Amino acid sequence: MTTPPDDRSFRREMATAYRSGWHFIDLATAIPHSGDSLMVTVFGEPVVVTRDEDEDIRAYRCLRRPRGAPQPVRCAVRYGMIFVNLDQRDHQLTEPETPASTAVSATPRSA
């Protein structure tokens, strides 16, 4: 017979096993127009997904600190689906080779 995990071991397991990697949020059609946003909770953290003036989809982690600026979260759109990555270790973005290109290529680990 196994005992149920305590809260501390559950949080550690969520942080190491499930939180790292790419997670499906919603379809891109959920925020069709410039300025639209979507508020979701991913593993207990509030995340805002918005479509900016350039029609790009961006995600931000909502900090609970007073006067804290929203922290950008890695976001990718594949086949009309929005994915986010909350793992800070995966946030090492590289500069694009050409300055005219602003797209960041990101492939979900499960793909």
Side-chain angles (χ1 to χ4, degrees):
M1 186 165 113
T2 60
T3 60
D6 63 347
D7 189 39
R8 187 174 55 213
S9 66
F10 175 72
R11 284 183 285 155
R12 184 174 46 246
E13 181 178 337
M14 291 296 284
T16 57
Y18 297 109
R19 188 178 169 140
S20 65
W22 292 89
H23 303 285
F24 172 74
I25 297 297
D26 205 339
L27 297 176
T29 56
I31 47 175
H33 305 292
S34 169
D36 289 348
S37 64
L38 178 67
M39 178 82 166
V40 294
T41 302
V42 181
F43 296 111
E45 288 195 35
V47 175
V48 176
V49 181
T50 64
R51 188 178 293 266
D52 62 8
E53 294 83 23
D54 298 330
E55 297 295 321
D56 292 332
I57 295 178
R58 305 205 185 273
Y60 300 94
R61 176 181 287 137
C62 298
L63 300 177
R64 294 187 177 126
R65 290 181 258 167
R67 298 186 189 143
Q71 180 183 12
V73 174
R74 200 156 190 202
C75 180
V77 178
R78 294 289 181 256
Y79 307 108
M81 297 180 286
I82 303 170
F83 294 90
V84 296
N85 188 336
L86 296 177
D87 193 2
Q88 292 295 326
R89 297 171 294 182
D90 291 341
H91 285 222
Q92 298 159 354
L93 298 176
T94 58
E95 292 296 321
E97 293 179 11
T98 58
S101 172
T102 58
V104 176
S105 108
T107 303
R109 289 183 184 168
S110 62

